[in-house]
Amino acid sequence: MSEKSSPIKYFLSGGFGGVCTVLAGHPMDTIKVRLQTMPLPKPGETALYGGTWDCFKKTIQKEGFRGLYKGMSAPLTGVAPIFAISFFGFGLGKKLIKSDENQVLTKLELFAAGAFSGIFTTSIMAPGERIKCLLQIQQGGNVPQKYSGMLDCARQLYAEGGMRSIYKGSVATILRDVPASGMYFMTYEWVKEVLVPQDANAKMKMVATIVAGGCAGIANWLVGMPADVLKSRLQTAPEGTYPNGMRDVFKQLMEREGPTALYKGVTPVMIRAFPANAACFVGFELAVNFLNWVAPNL
């Protein structure tokens, strides 16, 4: 990332990068949520989905390709400000850590700046994730749909429990996003630093951006996956299922399924992580270069 770019440019470019992320990665996100939240089979019953491919195949058969993009309106509406705020927080975090403009940040300082950005995004991320997950777990076909769309879902949640219901899972979202964002930005900067020599041409820099962005996405989810599983279950459960929040979700999950359940849905996450986040950082870098060209003093 350009060290000369202001937090404002990070904000605008991050928003564009976020839109690129959703368009590239939402189908696998839908598969992830459905695997994470499917009910446990009773003795003698088969599981609703046998795995990533089975879930993908059944979704296409019942709902068509549109089923893979179910709930996309929520993240697409919120993603521009979410990624804008995330990249802004990272840019601001770097600025706060630096004692002078020419200081090169250590990997730990880059992690801290990235983690700082994770705090910024929760106010938008938590309700968007809640609505997205509820829409994604709705089955297609002839099954009656509880929610007709993003706005209807938000309206019903507000009627059920006010803003508290809409923001259900906020703590889980923070516990996921703060360490995951630290790994995300630190990994991107580190991999790009390793791949880009001093005399690199534009093509080499673009390849490095794609690889570094993809690696950043994988590192982000390796750290954030356990909290994401707990968040998905908490946010999609009927009111009153988990009175003590994340603690109850974690306790029940450990008792019934064991520690491996914390990485349930990891296959579609990792399939999605590389291309979605490569698209994000390519979009970000292109937007930064464009802004540096049209508004060098911004």
Side-chain angles (χ1 to χ4, degrees), residues 34-35 38-51 54 58 62 264:
R34 291 190 172 190
L35 288 174
M38 68 177 177
L40 281 174
K42 294 176 183 177
E45 290 183 350
T46 56
L48 182 61
Y49 304 117
D54 186 50
K58 285 178 178 175
K62 290 182 178 180
K264 207 166 197 178

Side-chain angles (χ1 to χ4, degrees), residues 66-175:
R66 288 184 64 183
L68 295 171
Y69 285 91
K70 208 167 218 178
M72 192 176 74
S73 56
L76 201 56
T77 301
V79 78
I82 286 168
F83 273 76
I85 291 169
S86 178
F87 277 80
F88 173 80
F90 180 57
L92 183 60
K94 289 203 295 184
K95 202 164 187 174
L96 291 172
I97 292 169
K98 284 183 177 182
S99 54
D100 66 78
E101 280 297 314
N102 297 318
Q103 180 184 344
V104 177
L105 298 183
T106 65
K107 301 300 178 286
L108 187 60
E109 287 171 334
L110 288 169
F111 178 88
F116 179 69
S117 76
I119 300 170
F120 276 62
T121 59
T122 304
S123 60
I124 302 174
M125 183 72 86
E129 285 279 302
R130 169 101 153 114
I131 292 166
K132 173 184 73 71
C133 288
L134 287 170
L135 292 173
Q136 284 176 322
I137 63 170
Q138 289 191 144
Q139 303 299 314
N142 297 320
V143 180
Q145 305 289 293
K146 183 177 181 181
Y147 307 112
S148 61
M150 180 182 73
L151 294 177
D152 181 55
C153 183
R155 182 182 58 79
Q156 288 193 46
L157 289 176
Y158 186 78
E160 288 170 8
M163 293 302 292
R164 187 172 181 177
S165 178
I166 291 175
Y167 274 87
K168 186 178 180 180
S170 293
V171 173
T173 304
I174 290 174
L175 292 177

Side-chain angles (χ1 to χ4, degrees), residues 9-23:
K9 286 180 180 174
Y10 271 55
F11 179 85
L12 297 172
S13 302
F16 181 70
V19 172
C20 295
T21 302
V22 174
L23 293 174

Side-chain angles (χ1 to χ4, degrees), residues 36-295:
Q36 287 177 344
T37 59
M38 68 177 177
L40 281 174
K42 294 176 183 177
E45 290 183 350
T46 56
L48 182 61
Y49 304 117
T52 301
W53 173 246
D54 186 50
C55 182
F56 180 85
K57 188 171 62 175
K58 285 178 178 175
T59 300
I60 297 293
Q61 287 173 348
K62 290 182 178 180
E63 304 162 63
F65 281 99
R66 288 184 64 183
L68 295 171
Y69 285 91
K70 208 167 218 178
M72 192 176 74
S73 56
L76 201 56
T77 301
V79 78
I82 286 168
F83 273 76
I85 291 169
S86 178
F87 277 80
F88 173 80
F90 180 57
L92 183 60
K94 289 203 295 184
K95 202 164 187 174
L96 291 172
I97 292 169
K98 284 183 177 182
S99 54
D100 66 78
E101 280 297 314
N102 297 318
Q103 180 184 344
V104 177
L105 298 183
T106 65
K107 301 300 178 286
L108 187 60
E109 287 171 334
L110 288 169
F111 178 88
F116 179 69
S117 76
I119 300 170
F120 276 62
T121 59
T122 304
S123 60
I124 302 174
M125 183 72 86
E129 285 279 302
R130 169 101 153 114
I131 292 166
K132 173 184 73 71
C133 288
L134 287 170
L135 292 173
Q136 284 176 322
I137 63 170
Q138 289 191 144
Q139 303 299 314
N142 297 320
V143 180
Q145 305 289 293
K146 183 177 181 181
Y147 307 112
S148 61
M150 180 182 73
L151 294 177
D152 181 55
C153 183
R155 182 182 58 79
Q156 288 193 46
L157 289 176
Y158 186 78
E160 288 170 8
M163 293 302 292
R164 187 172 181 177
S165 178
I166 291 175
Y167 274 87
K168 186 178 180 180
S170 293
V171 173
T173 304
I174 290 174
L175 292 177
R176 180 194 69 176
D177 287 352
V178 169
S181 294
M183 283 298 295
Y184 187 62
F185 287 109
M186 183 194 74
T187 301
Y188 177 76
E189 296 277 17
W190 174 64
V191 174
K192 197 168 182 190
E193 180 186 308
V194 170
L195 294 178
V196 179
Q198 293 292 329
D199 58 344
N201 56 32
K203 186 177 180 180
M204 193 179 293
K205 287 180 180 178
M206 180 58 70
V207 171
T209 296
I210 292 169
V211 174
C215 290
I218 290 171
N220 173 86
W221 281 107
L222 285 174
V223 171
M225 191 75 194
D228 186 67
V229 171
L230 299 176
K231 177 197 73 64
S232 292
R233 296 201 177 189
L234 179 62
Q235 288 184 321
T236 56
E239 289 296 328
T241 305
Y242 303 111
N244 295 313
M246 266 186 74
R247 281 183 298 168
D248 284 354
V249 182
F250 181 77
K251 184 180 176 183
Q252 187 186 94
L253 185 140
M254 289 295 107
E255 288 174 352
R256 295 184 180 181
E257 301 170 64
T260 55
L262 289 170
Y263 278 89
K264 207 166 197 178
V266 70
T267 303
V269 164
M270 292 306 164
I271 293 171
R272 168 186 179 270
F274 196 98
N277 290 283
C280 174
F281 278 100
V282 167
F284 172 82
E285 295 285 4
L286 289 174
V288 165
N289 290 336
F290 176 74
L291 289 173
N292 285 339
W293 177 58
V294 298

